[in-house]
Amino acid sequence: MVKHIVTFKLNGDAETRRRVASEFATALMALPEKITCLRSMEVGLNENPAEDWDVVLTAVVETMAEVGEYAKHPAHVAAAAIVGPYKAARACVDYYC
């Protein structure tokens, strides 16, 4: 199994960042029903105002090749488009578990 962990820092005021993060989270949580290689999806919104990062996701797939399959899937591309215009930074770690 591979865990694909991604965190996002968003641009905008706190209200805008929270709204976009929530919309993004809703779209991400719908992905396991649409992307067959996706075993699970977990999304968290930052609750600590002392921290700069807004969203974290953990997706689980079987192989590194499936990370690429997931990334290119039209449903994932549509979800990513929600956060795209607001994305200040992104960090990712993929590892076997």
Side-chain angles (χ1 to χ4, degrees):
M1 302 291 269
V2 176
K3 284 195 177 181
H4 173 71
I5 301 175
V6 186
T7 187
F8 294 87
K9 184 184 299 187
L10 304 178
N11 289 315
D13 61 31
E15 182 179 327
T16 298
R17 290 174 27 231
R18 188 63 174 199
R19 178 184 54 78
V20 171
S22 293
E23 290 174 15
F24 185 43
T26 298
L28 289 171
M29 291 305 296
L31 294 181
E33 295 176 7
K34 300 174 182 178
I35 304 175
T36 58
C37 69
L38 192 54
R39 302 294 176 244
S40 67
M41 173 67 74
E42 181 178 344
V43 181
L45 304 182
N46 183 29
E47 299 296 336
N48 184 347
E51 297 296 334
D52 293 332
W53 294 82
D54 297 288
V55 182
V56 64
L57 72 89
T58 301
V60 178
V61 296
E62 290 289 329
T63 66
M64 288 301 288
E66 287 182 343
V67 172
E69 182 181 329
Y70 153 77
K72 293 177 185 175
H73 191 282
H76 174 263
V77 171
I82 293 167
V83 78
Y86 301 92
K87 184 172 56 177
R90 175 188 178 274
C92 177
V93 173
D94 296 315
Y95 67 93
Y96 286 99
C97 55

